[in-house]
Every structure is written in structure tokens, then in C-alpha cells.
Amino acid sequence: MFNPKDTLRIGDKFQRGNAVEFVFNGITVEAYEGESIATALLAANIVSTKFSVGGYPRGPVCFMGSCQECVVRINARKMLACQTKVAHGLVVEFDGPKI
Amino acid sequence: MHDEAEILGQFDIAVVGGGVMGCSTALPLARAGHKVALFERRGLGLEASGRNAGSLSPMIKKSELVAHAIEGYRMWMSSKDWLGVDIGSHTKPGLIVAYNQMEADALDRLVTDRCANGAQIELISGKKATEIEPQLSSGVTLAAYSEVDGQAESNRTGQVFNFALNQAGANVFGHCDVKHVVNNNGNYEIHTDRGIAYSNKIVLAGGAWLEGMTSWLGFSLPVQYKVNQMIVTERTPELVRTVLGVQNGLLTLKQAANGTIVIGGGWQGHGDLENGAWHVEPEAVVRNLQLARFVIPQIKDLRVVRTWLGLEAVLPDYLPAVGAVPDVDGAYVIGCCRGGWAIGPCLGSLLADFILGRNLRLPIFDPGRKINAEPFAAAGSASKGM
């Protein structure tokens, strides 16, 4: 059955973890256990995860912990979305200047 | 070494060392029409000249250097005028804060002394300091404020001097290691890993490596060095407006034009003359950051991007050596200036004037003087900032 949240994920032959929900900036995002926050956001079509110092949108580029463009706030701490796994009920927020 | 050494040329003046001191000396000499060669083991400005934090702060220089530091500040602020290219510099108010009576008394003495030597510094209340620097933590009892302060992009030192020296027609031998120098009665033989150069005069400007260089000429400048650590954070919107320091000298802090915050304070890492400055001391990084966070609480929110170190040459009396090598004709030395990157352009132009027999507008610092340890240096000096 077609599920919009799976349009960017590879087919159903892949064994996924349990479905979970987390909140990004007030938006509920559906994901699977084992996925990184950056992956889950991309799959949910959310490509901008922060704003730069100059106020421009930024989002994950490297997905391997190097580029620092996916920094988000989790429990007030700066974390790399690509290096942090999703968990049910997690609250994730934008980093950078509030605009 | 080559079997038959290549001859690199005959020069009027050879400068050994391509940091701010050597380059600032070579430039006016080349512009005065002399055939100048400058030898640098690596690239220009890659050691202390490119590793310091770029604070200009005349008010934290020694009394004897206040006038030189103000001139250095003006020169870096107008770098395009005399280098032909802008290094990137910004005027910012300088602020030194005190958190208790002992620090306030010391600050009072510092300001009185520096003002007597020509600095323009005001003592202001903690409340006024917080108006100038809104993110400052509470508890500041007294602060020193000066409008003659700022920062420049010291990491571009080599780039800007390379441009200026080439324009001036100086012969820059980069990646050319001077192994030793022979004084051949008025014509110096400069033995490098690329061949031999000859020169009528020689200027030694090797920073932390100066003692070994002066020994080529049978003189020994008692150079010591500090392994200063620096820290830079990620970029952030404007948080700190001033070039900020704490009276005890253990913290200097400012925000660069790109939004990063550069934190120093003379905390010591590990390095030596053979290997350069290579090992950060993690505990010193943590303590430096704790102090930064005490002064500007919002810093706790920022991540450190990088730490690095550089070797800062000093003499036991904490004054520089700028002048003639004693009892050796045509040989000069320049270096060992505390916080010397900011003052370098002034000292270099003074040494060039001295070599050319011109009148000196400010005093220079005889390398042959009796160098005594500064009386108060022992206790706090190892961690005093630049």
C-alpha cells in the first residue's frame, strides 16, 4: 500500500525498525527506529534544519558528521541530526538565529 | 646540500626569517632601493605571525612599548596604504575587566602607567562596562576602556607581505632554509638548502629560533619561548563587541568578522623548537573556556571548532631586541616582542631606519643590553596573554 512517508525510502524488501514519531519544530514526523534524524527529516521532505549566521536556510549535506550543517537542538543541546538516531517522542528544534 | 653550491646572488641586505618582523624590516629597505633578499624556511608568516589572535590592544603592552603599539595599531588599521593590500582589520573598543578589589587596584595602576606613556585609556565602572559589552557577566567592579584597539586578520600576514615585498622588488626566498651564516669580513655568506647567497648586511628575524641564529655570529640572545594556545568557536550572530580581556591576563576574547569567537590568554600547550608547536594541552583549553564562559556566559552555547598553538619568543626582561648585534658590523636582530605581531610593522620600520642611518622617531631596543629577568615575571608570566 502506498504510504506518502515512504516515497523517498527504498522499497519494502528492507527490514525496518518499529515506526516511531518525533517532533521537529512542532511538526510531527514519522520515522523508523534505526534511522538518523537527518534521514527521517529528508524522507519527510524537510530539507532545511537550521539557519546560518547570515539568516539563510541550511540543511544536511554530508550525512556523515562532517559538514555541521545539520546541527539541531535536542534538550537544549546542539546535536548533529545525521549522527543522532530517532526515538519515539523526541523533541527536535532549529538551531541558529530565530527568524 | 649541493656538491657545487648554487649561487643565489649578491645582495645589499639579507633578512633571515619571514614573519612580521623580518617582512616589516625588509619592505622599507627594498623600497629605499636596496637589493634585499628575504629567506624563510617555510612560507611567509606561518609561525607565530600567522598563529596569534590578531589583537592590537596597545593598552596591554609594556609601558616602554605603548607608543610603538599605538603606531603598530595605526599601521595595521591602514594596511592598504603601506602594503598595497588590506589585511582585514577592524577598530573595536578594548575592554579589560576586573572582578575584585585586587584586580581593580592592579587595573588602576596599569591605566595610570600606560596613560603616562601616551595611551588613551579610561577607567569605567562595571555598570558602564556592561553598557559597552552587554553580554558581560555581572560582578565587574572596574574596567579599562580604550577606543584605540581592534583586531586584524593575522592569518593573512604572509599573503599581504608576499604581495608587498614582490611589488617592492625584494627577492623572497620561500621554503629556503638557512643552515648557517659565515661572517666573511663585511660580506656574509648565507648557506641555505638551496645554495649560497652573499650579502653586505644581515638581519636576523627568526622569532623563537633567534638564539640559534645569533650563535652563527658568535652572539647568544637568551631567547625563551611560550607555547601559546588559542581556541576558536563556531560562527554566531554578534555576541561580543569589544576586544575583551581580564585584568589577570588569563583571558583575551573577541569576535572575528566572520562571527567566530577567538579565545586566548596565553594558556600553554606543548611544543619545542625542533618540532614547532604541536600539542594542545586539553586541561588548559577547558580552563580557558571556563574563564571565557565566566566572563561571557552565552559562550557556553557555542562549540569549539579548532584549537591551535604558536611559539612566542620572549627575552627574560620581556622587552624586544631591535638593533645591532654587538661587536659585529652589519648584523642586526629583531624579535622577541611580547604581543609582537601587533607592534611588528612599527619595529620593522624603525630597524630599517636604523640600518639606513636615519633619525629614529621612537627608541629601539639594544640586543646587547644586559638582560635581567623582570622582577615580577616569575609568578604569573607563564600564563599572561598577549
Side-chain angles (χ1 to χ4, degrees):
Chain A
M1 202 212 295
F2 174 77
N3 183 340
K5 79 169 189 274
D6 290 338
T7 53
L8 285 173
R9 291 183 168 87
I10 55 173
D12 55 8
K13 289 190 180 111
F14 190 80
Q15 187 67 43
R16 301 183 195 287
N18 297 327
V20 294
E21 284 182 359
F22 68 98
V23 177
F24 178 71
N25 271 353
I27 302 164
T28 299
V29 179
E30 296 178 13
Y32 297 100
E33 272 179 5
E35 291 178 345
S36 73
I37 293 170
T39 304
L41 290 173
L42 181 65
N45 244 330
I46 297 172
V47 293
S48 173
T49 52
K50 70 171 225 180
F51 288 95
S52 72
V53 172
Y56 297 98
R58 289 284 186 273
V61 175
C62 75
F63 288 85
M64 60 183 217
S66 175
C67 74
Q68 308 294 310
E69 297 288 18
C70 71
V71 172
V72 291
R73 295 266 176 174
I74 300 171
N75 293 326
R77 288 199 59 169
K78 293 187 180 188
M79 309 279 282
L80 295 179
C82 73
Q83 300 296 300
T84 310
K85 288 187 172 167
V86 297
H88 191 66
L90 206 60
V91 177
V92 182
E93 284 178 338
F94 264 140
D95 179 53
K98 302 283 177 285
I99 58 172
Chain B
M1 288 291 282
H2 307 239
D3 285 327
E4 260 179 72
E6 194 185 332
I7 307 299
L8 300 173
Q10 168 74 49
F11 301 96
D12 299 329
I13 302 160
V15 178
V16 184
V20 68
M21 298 295 176
C23 291
S24 298
T25 309
L27 186 59
L29 292 172
R31 285 189 178 146
H34 295 275
K35 198 174 172 194
V36 173
L38 183 141
F39 299 90
E40 165 53 46
R41 183 180 54 166
R42 301 177 65 213
L44 298 185
L46 290 184
E47 293 292 348
S49 296
R51 295 163 183 248
N52 68 87
S55 291
L56 299 176
S57 308
M59 69 175 160
I60 60 169
K61 303 300 189 273
K62 279 182 72 89
S63 319
E64 295 90 335
L65 285 160
V66 168
H68 303 75
I70 292 171
E71 188 177 302
Y73 160 83
R74 296 211 174 102
M75 289 179 81
W76 281 127
M77 280 301 156
S78 61
S79 58
K80 199 168 193 310
D81 297 345
W82 61 281
L83 285 168
V85 58
D86 190 357
I87 194 167
S89 53
H90 310 273
T91 297
K92 288 184 175 202
L95 197 62
I96 304 175
V97 294
Y99 282 94
N100 58 46
Q101 196 54 47
M102 200 179 76
E103 289 182 357
D105 292 344
L107 197 57
D108 194 347
R109 287 195 299 275
L110 177 117
V111 170
T112 307
D113 175 84
R114 299 304 188 268
C115 287
N117 285 282
Q120 291 165 302
I121 315 173
E122 240 181 287
L123 278 174
I124 59 172
S125 67
K127 185 170 171 286
K128 186 85 193 292
T130 312
E131 283 165 22
I132 292 163
E133 189 62 271
Q135 299 302 330
L136 207 55
S137 61
S138 57
V140 172
T141 52
L142 190 71
Y145 172 79
S146 176
E147 280 173 13
V148 184
D149 208 326
Q151 68 183 123
E153 290 172 32
S154 49
N155 58 319
R156 298 187 63 220
T157 303
Q159 209 182 330
V160 295
F161 273 112
N162 196 40
F163 176 86
L165 288 165
N166 282 319
Q167 291 266 309
N171 298 270
V172 178
F173 293 90
H175 300 278
C176 183
D177 192 6
V178 176
K179 299 295 186 186
H180 67 282
V181 167
V182 178
N183 178 4
N184 225 339
N185 294 324
N187 198 15
Y188 290 93
E189 278 174 26
I190 297 147
H191 295 257
T192 79
D193 59 356
R194 278 165 54 183
I196 300 179
Y198 300 92
S199 180
N200 300 123
K201 289 180 173 157
I202 188 163
V203 176
L204 303 175
W209 291 268
L210 257 177
E211 182 164 15
M213 289 184 179
T214 53
S215 73
W216 295 332
L217 304 176
F219 174 62
S220 181
L221 193 67
V223 180
Q224 302 168 342
Y225 58 89
K226 295 179 178 302
V227 190
N228 292 333
Q229 281 190 182
M230 273 139 292
I231 301 169
V232 66
T233 72
E234 63 187 322
R235 297 173 67 205
T236 188
E238 186 181 83
L239 186 62
V240 185
R241 298 180 48 235
T242 62
V243 177
L244 184 60
V246 172
Q247 184 282 324
N248 66 19
L250 297 175
L251 178 72
T252 60
L253 190 156
K254 63 206 165 288
Q255 189 160 17
N258 65 4
T260 62
I261 294 182
V262 182
I263 302 168
W267 293 83
Q268 298 293 289
H270 308 283
D272 55 56
L273 296 182
E274 212 165 301
N275 301 303
W278 303 129
H279 298 286
V280 166
E281 172 51 49
E283 198 193 330
V285 171
V286 171
R287 290 178 60 192
N288 197 354
L289 287 171
Q290 284 169 338
L291 187 55
R293 192 177 153 162
F294 174 77
V295 175
I296 302 284
Q298 282 216 36
I299 282 196
K300 75 175 193 310
D301 217 29
L302 298 175
R303 298 175 306 159
V304 169
V305 173
R306 197 163 73 89
T307 58
W308 73 98
L309 324 88
L311 298 181
E312 183 184 31
V314 292
L315 289 171
D317 61 3
Y318 287 94
L319 285 171
V322 182
V325 175
D327 308 320
V328 186
D329 284 344
Y332 308 87
V333 61
I334 179 165
C336 302
C337 184
R338 204 75 223 279
W341 183 81
I343 312 179
C346 167
L347 296 179
S349 97
L350 288 174
L351 182 60
D353 284 346
F354 179 69
I355 293 170
L356 297 173
R358 294 174 179 162
N359 289 330
L360 296 179
R361 63 194 179 279
L362 286 171
I364 56 173
F365 300 86
D366 181 13
R369 70 182 180 270
K370 192 170 178 336
I371 298 175
N372 296 315
E374 190 186 52
F376 302 107
S381 63
S383 45
K384 276 278 164 69
M386 45 200 282

